[in-house]
mmCIF file of all heavy atoms in Angstrom:
data_model
loop_
_atom_site.group_PDB
_atom_site.id
_atom_site.type_symbol
_atom_site.label_atom_id
_atom_site.label_comp_id
_atom_site.label_asym_id
_atom_site.label_seq_id
_atom_site.Cartn_x
_atom_site.Cartn_y
_atom_site.Cartn_z
ATOM 1 N N GLU A 374 -5.473 257.598 230.156
ATOM 2 C CA GLU A 374 -5.086 256.237 229.802
ATOM 3 C C GLU A 374 -5.655 255.190 230.774
ATOM 4 O O GLU A 374 -6.259 254.201 230.415
ATOM 5 C CB GLU A 374 -3.523 256.211 229.840
ATOM 6 C CG GLU A 374 -2.879 255.131 229.059
ATOM 7 C CD GLU A 374 -1.385 255.250 229.381
ATOM 8 O OE1 GLU A 374 -0.783 256.309 229.119
ATOM 9 O OE2 GLU A 374 -0.797 254.292 229.829
ATOM 10 N N PHE A 375 -5.416 255.492 232.109
ATOM 11 C CA PHE A 375 -5.896 254.597 233.144
ATOM 12 C C PHE A 375 -7.468 254.490 233.140
ATOM 13 O O PHE A 375 -8.031 253.422 233.380
ATOM 14 C CB PHE A 375 -5.451 255.027 234.509
ATOM 15 C CG PHE A 375 -4.007 254.739 234.720
ATOM 16 C CD1 PHE A 375 -3.232 255.568 235.499
ATOM 17 C CD2 PHE A 375 -3.365 253.638 234.135
ATOM 18 C CE1 PHE A 375 -1.898 255.304 235.765
ATOM 19 C CE2 PHE A 375 -2.028 253.329 234.396
ATOM 20 C CZ PHE A 375 -1.299 254.169 235.196
ATOM 21 N N LEU A 376 -8.072 255.642 232.851
ATOM 22 C CA LEU A 376 -9.543 255.622 232.801
ATOM 23 C C LEU A 376 -10.059 254.748 231.714
ATOM 24 O O LEU A 376 -10.977 253.966 231.940
ATOM 25 C CB LEU A 376 -10.012 257.036 232.507
ATOM 26 C CG LEU A 376 -10.531 257.878 233.661
ATOM 27 C CD1 LEU A 376 -11.011 259.279 233.157
ATOM 28 C CD2 LEU A 376 -11.693 257.193 234.395
ATOM 29 N N LYS A 377 -9.366 254.813 230.582
ATOM 30 C CA LYS A 377 -9.786 254.045 229.394
ATOM 31 C C LYS A 377 -9.605 252.545 229.689
ATOM 32 O O LYS A 377 -10.506 251.714 229.324
ATOM 33 C CB LYS A 377 -8.900 254.472 228.209
ATOM 34 C CG LYS A 377 -9.629 254.478 226.925
ATOM 35 C CD LYS A 377 -8.811 255.137 225.864
ATOM 36 C CE LYS A 377 -9.065 254.538 224.509
ATOM 37 N NZ LYS A 377 -8.074 254.833 223.543
ATOM 38 N N SER A 378 -8.525 252.155 230.310
ATOM 39 C CA SER A 378 -8.303 250.747 230.533
ATOM 40 C C SER A 378 -8.891 250.241 231.858
ATOM 41 O O SER A 378 -8.651 249.113 232.292
ATOM 42 C CB SER A 378 -6.790 250.514 230.500
ATOM 43 O OG SER A 378 -6.164 251.216 231.533
ATOM 44 N N GLY A 379 -9.574 251.144 232.569
ATOM 45 C CA GLY A 379 -10.055 250.813 233.960
ATOM 46 C C GLY A 379 -10.854 249.635 234.036
ATOM 47 O O GLY A 379 -10.664 248.784 234.988
ATOM 48 N N LYS A 380 -11.767 249.408 233.106
ATOM 49 C CA LYS A 380 -12.722 248.315 233.201
ATOM 50 C C LYS A 380 -12.080 246.965 233.499
ATOM 51 O O LYS A 380 -12.556 246.156 234.284
ATOM 52 C CB LYS A 380 -13.574 248.303 231.926
ATOM 53 C CG LYS A 380 -14.816 247.529 232.047
ATOM 54 C CD LYS A 380 -15.695 247.642 230.826
ATOM 55 C CE LYS A 380 -16.963 246.811 230.981
ATOM 56 N NZ LYS A 380 -17.838 246.866 229.863
ATOM 57 N N LYS A 381 -10.939 246.742 232.808
ATOM 58 C CA LYS A 381 -10.360 245.416 232.971
ATOM 59 C C LYS A 381 -9.672 245.220 234.339
ATOM 60 O O LYS A 381 -9.236 244.132 234.683
ATOM 61 C CB LYS A 381 -9.419 245.073 231.820
ATOM 62 C CG LYS A 381 -8.239 245.965 231.704
ATOM 63 C CD LYS A 381 -7.387 245.458 230.494
ATOM 64 C CE LYS A 381 -6.253 246.480 230.292
ATOM 65 N NZ LYS A 381 -5.640 246.379 229.029
ATOM 66 N N ARG A 382 -9.577 246.349 235.097
ATOM 67 C CA ARG A 382 -8.928 246.256 236.413
ATOM 68 C C ARG A 382 -9.992 246.265 237.563
ATOM 69 O O ARG A 382 -9.574 246.175 238.754
ATOM 70 C CB ARG A 382 -7.942 247.371 236.652
ATOM 71 C CG ARG A 382 -6.669 247.247 235.912
ATOM 72 C CD ARG A 382 -5.670 248.320 236.401
ATOM 73 N NE ARG A 382 -6.201 249.630 236.370
ATOM 74 C CZ ARG A 382 -6.284 250.440 235.284
ATOM 75 N NH1 ARG A 382 -5.704 249.994 234.148
ATOM 76 N NH2 ARG A 382 -6.849 251.568 235.303
ATOM 77 N N PHE A 383 -11.252 246.436 237.229
ATOM 78 C CA PHE A 383 -12.260 246.632 238.303
ATOM 79 C C PHE A 383 -12.171 245.581 239.450
ATOM 80 O O PHE A 383 -12.325 245.880 240.599
ATOM 81 C CB PHE A 383 -13.666 246.698 237.760
ATOM 82 C CG PHE A 383 -14.021 247.970 236.997
ATOM 83 C CD1 PHE A 383 -15.174 248.085 236.238
ATOM 84 C CD2 PHE A 383 -13.145 249.111 237.075
ATOM 85 C CE1 PHE A 383 -15.474 249.236 235.572
ATOM 86 C CE2 PHE A 383 -13.445 250.228 236.389
ATOM 87 C CZ PHE A 383 -14.599 250.303 235.648
ATOM 88 N N LEU A 384 -11.944 244.323 239.055
ATOM 89 C CA LEU A 384 -12.008 243.252 240.015
ATOM 90 C C LEU A 384 -10.687 243.111 240.822
ATOM 91 O O LEU A 384 -10.695 242.661 241.965
ATOM 92 C CB LEU A 384 -12.320 241.965 239.352
ATOM 93 C CG LEU A 384 -13.772 241.839 238.837
ATOM 94 C CD1 LEU A 384 -14.016 240.493 238.142
ATOM 95 C CD2 LEU A 384 -14.749 242.059 239.912
ATOM 96 N N THR A 385 -9.589 243.485 240.145
ATOM 97 C CA THR A 385 -8.276 243.268 240.767
ATOM 98 C C THR A 385 -7.656 244.448 241.452
ATOM 99 O O THR A 385 -6.844 244.306 242.339
ATOM 100 C CB THR A 385 -7.313 242.706 239.723
ATOM 101 O OG1 THR A 385 -7.335 243.654 238.645
ATOM 102 C CG2 THR A 385 -7.667 241.329 239.274
ATOM 103 N N ASP A 386 -8.075 245.647 241.005
ATOM 104 C CA ASP A 386 -7.429 246.882 241.440
ATOM 105 C C ASP A 386 -8.426 247.666 242.372
ATOM 106 O O ASP A 386 -9.419 248.049 241.864
ATOM 107 C CB ASP A 386 -7.044 247.751 240.189
ATOM 108 C CG ASP A 386 -6.764 249.173 240.511
ATOM 109 O OD1 ASP A 386 -6.355 249.452 241.644
ATOM 110 O OD2 ASP A 386 -7.009 250.058 239.598
ATOM 111 N N GLY A 387 -8.059 247.768 243.599
ATOM 112 C CA GLY A 387 -8.984 248.445 244.570
ATOM 113 C C GLY A 387 -8.759 247.884 245.948
ATOM 114 O O GLY A 387 -7.609 247.696 246.379
ATOM 115 N N LEU A 388 -9.854 247.555 246.657
ATOM 116 C CA LEU A 388 -9.765 247.022 247.966
ATOM 117 C C LEU A 388 -8.999 245.638 247.872
ATOM 118 O O LEU A 388 -8.248 245.282 248.782
ATOM 119 C CB LEU A 388 -11.139 246.739 248.550
ATOM 120 C CG LEU A 388 -11.958 247.980 248.838
ATOM 121 C CD1 LEU A 388 -13.375 247.570 249.297
ATOM 122 C CD2 LEU A 388 -11.322 248.871 249.973
ATOM 123 N N ALA A 389 -9.147 245.015 246.710
ATOM 124 C CA ALA A 389 -8.547 243.647 246.520
ATOM 125 C C ALA A 389 -7.087 243.658 246.671
ATOM 126 O O ALA A 389 -6.449 242.715 247.099
ATOM 127 C CB ALA A 389 -9.018 243.075 245.158
#
Side-chain angles (χ1 to χ4, degrees):
E374 199 184 304
F375 286 147
L376 260 181
K377 217 168 146 197
S378 60
K380 197 171 178 183
K381 61 180 178 201
R382 285 190 309 276
F383 285 170
L384 292 180
T385 51
D386 163 28
L388 294 173

